[in-house]
Amino acid sequence: SYEEFVEGIKPVVDAEEGGAIGYAVMDGIFKQAVTKAMAEPQKPHALFIDEINRANISKVFGELITLLEDDKRMRWDAETLQWTGGLQVRLPYTHSQNPAEPLFGVPNNLYVIGTMNTADRSIALLDTALRRRFEFLEIMPRPEVIRLVGTADIPTPDGEDTIDLEKLLEAVNDRIEFLYDRDHRIGHSYFLGLKSYDDLERVFLTKIIPLLQEYFYEDWEKIQLVFDDLEDTTDTDGRPKAKENAIISYRLVRVSSLFGASDSHLSARRIYEVPPQIAPESIMKIYKGES
């Protein structure tokens, strides 16, 4: 809220008065960052806001959203040793209590850096005014980072082969981009810090598969396509047959076995299953194209 970010009235317990509660104007995170940046004009300061698109931007920044613009920033004058120029405003809480307080402005050595996930539906709520005041830098998945910062080749449990995490991530993301869009490709962070096949298997079962379930809701065949789980041949229901080493398997349920009505208008249905464990060759086939 504005009260947490800029300034607001907060309850204060007075220990000397037996725990009596009073109220005082308290600086929020943004105002504190501004104060520190102004105290050290020769040093750059940064305020990081994770998932910035999840907030109601107009309510959090209030009138100060205008002060973020480059031409509205104050600049340090090395000759007079003072902050000059820019746009300075009165704050509703501070200046209502003490009109003589200096006006509030944002120095040009304070950088506000917000992060967001473009695949997040809440990005549609991002204020257009904020879009005009921020520069946007797209950060895409970088499979090569896996090898730079950690282990990129995970040995299989039997030790006879290794799983290439770079190629694995590239193959998965190429298929996601084709079946969905580029904004829903998964990040390389999923594969950072993995030390063993158990770690990789856990990431698949607890992170990647659930994420794809959300992406392709109720469309399990697309998840199978991402994992290269389907053969060119068709099953008895006329749809592509799953490979023997498929990660996502299914069983065909006949109408007669459920309802005893073989002449029903209902056709056979696929019941998909997420495995409790994944065989190494099932993961390797994703980028090797093995059947």
Side-chain angles (χ1 to χ4, degrees):
S1 66
Y2 180 88
E3 288 73 20
E4 297 289 339
F5 191 68
V6 182
E7 64 170 5
I9 297 176
K10 302 290 182 64
V12 179
V13 178
D14 191 341
E16 296 181 357
E17 295 293 333
I21 297 179
Y23 295 89
V25 175
M26 306 288 286
D27 292 344
I29 295 171
F30 180 66
K31 192 176 178 184
Q32 292 175 33
V34 167
T35 301
K36 294 182 71 174
M38 292 181 66
E40 300 176 307
Q42 306 300 331
K43 293 176 58 178
H45 290 252
L47 175 61
F48 289 84
I49 308 173
D50 192 25
E51 302 283 4
I52 191 172
N53 54 306
R54 291 186 175 273
N56 187 321
I57 299 299
S58 59
K59 287 187 177 180
V60 173
F61 281 87
E63 72 279 21
L64 302 188
I65 192 171
T66 302
L67 302 186
L68 293 176
E69 297 178 27
D70 185 62
D71 61 344
K72 305 296 192 302
R73 298 291 193 100
M74 297 186 299
R75 285 167 171 75
W76 179 251
D77 190 330
E79 294 183 0
T80 62
L81 300 181
Q82 290 182 338
W83 287 99
T84 61
L87 180 65
Q88 301 179 47
V89 299
R90 295 181 179 276
L91 297 176
Y93 292 104
T94 296
H95 292 95
S96 62
Q97 284 196 338
N98 186 4
E101 278 284 323
L103 297 179
F104 180 79
V106 179
N108 64 349
N109 66 331
L110 175 61
Y111 297 87
V112 181
I113 302 171
T115 69
M116 68 184 72
N117 187 344
T118 54
D120 196 323
R121 294 183 181 88
S122 63
I123 194 174
L125 303 178
L126 189 62
D127 197 297
T128 55
L130 191 63
R131 287 184 178 275
R132 291 190 289 107
R133 289 168 171 85
F134 272 75
E135 295 179 1
F136 282 74
L137 176 64
E138 185 179 55
I139 302 176
M140 288 288 102
R142 295 175 55 195
E144 69 276 8
V145 171
I146 301 173
R147 192 171 301 277
L148 292 175
V149 301
T151 304
D153 297 311
I154 299 295
T156 56
D158 58 15
E160 296 181 358
D161 208 340
T162 58
I163 299 174
D164 190 324
L165 297 184
E166 277 190 71
K167 293 181 179 178
L168 177 61
L169 180 59
E170 288 174 354
V172 168
N173 277 338
D174 284 346
R175 293 176 182 137
I176 290 176
E177 183 173 0
F178 182 85
L179 296 169
Y180 202 156
D181 60 40
R182 67 193 304 270
D183 289 334
H184 285 78
R185 290 179 293 177
I186 64 175
H188 51 265
S189 62
Y190 283 97
F191 297 128
L192 296 182
L194 304 186
K195 301 299 182 182
S196 66
Y197 179 77
D198 289 340
D199 294 338
L200 177 60
E201 183 183 49
R202 184 176 65 254
V203 166
F204 260 82
L205 292 175
T206 63
K207 295 182 178 181
I208 295 178
I209 292 178
L211 182 65
L212 295 180
Q213 284 180 264
E214 181 180 344
Y215 285 176
F216 305 110
Y217 182 69
E218 291 294 331
D219 195 343
W220 284 92
E221 195 168 306
K222 286 185 178 178
I223 301 178
Q224 289 179 309
L225 288 172
V226 171
F227 293 151
D228 195 24
D229 281 345
L230 299 177
E231 295 182 351
D232 293 332
T233 59
T234 57
D235 209 332
T236 54
D237 62 349
R239 294 165 63 188
K241 188 177 182 179
K243 297 178 179 179
E244 290 186 4
N245 57 0
I247 294 178
I248 304 299
S249 59
Y250 64 87
R251 53 190 175 90
L252 281 173
V253 179
R254 303 291 177 183
V255 175
S256 57
S257 65
L258 292 177
F259 307 108
S262 57
D263 59 344
S264 171
H265 66 283
L266 298 174
S267 58
R269 181 180 177 86
R270 291 189 175 193
I271 304 298
Y272 292 92
E273 299 173 341
V274 177
Q277 293 181 306
I278 304 175
E281 56 269 18
S282 297
I283 294 180
M284 286 189 288
K285 76 164 182 353
I286 294 176
Y287 63 89
K288 287 186 176 181
E290 297 174 353
S291 58

